[in-house]
Amino acid sequence: IHWATRESYEKYVGFEAPPIIDAFKTYFHRRDAKLMEENPSGRENILIVGHTQVFRYFLTNVLQFDTSGWARFEINNCSINRIYIYD
């Protein structure tokens, strides 16, 4: 998908993507102090099974790229992706 303008993309995302945004905020974040005390080793493994386009969106956010460019990433079906977030 190619968006003609950023405004058209934001209009689309505003109506279609709130669950994706909520999922990103839920699973991709730095740990707070309480979690650091519970797990001092710092490692937490979370398995997320989902659609390729959702993972493209996650990847653009994790890399802090412009989210309108999510379609530029190629992720194959049945692929395994790892994202490490360090405190």
Side-chain angles (χ1 to χ4, degrees), residues 18-30 57-58 61:
I20 296 172
I21 295 168
D22 291 341
F24 180 80
K25 291 178 181 177
T26 300
Y27 295 111
F28 296 92
H29 56 82
R30 291 183 182 264
Y57 178 81
F58 288 167
N61 276 318

Side-chain angles (χ1 to χ4, degrees), residues 14-65:
F15 291 108
E16 299 292 329
I20 296 172
I21 295 168
D22 291 341
F24 180 80
K25 291 178 181 177
T26 300
Y27 295 111
F28 296 92
H29 56 82
R30 291 183 182 264
R31 296 181 304 154
D32 60 8
K34 181 180 177 186
L35 288 174
M36 291 178 101
E37 290 173 5
E38 293 173 4
N39 185 6
S41 68
R43 184 156 187 147
E44 180 181 14
N45 296 313
I46 299 173
L47 173 67
I48 302 173
V49 178
H51 195 273
T52 300
Q53 293 190 30
V54 173
F55 290 112
R56 287 187 207 173
Y57 178 81
F58 288 167
L59 188 59
T60 57
N61 276 318
V62 166
L63 295 173
Q64 298 178 349
F65 291 162

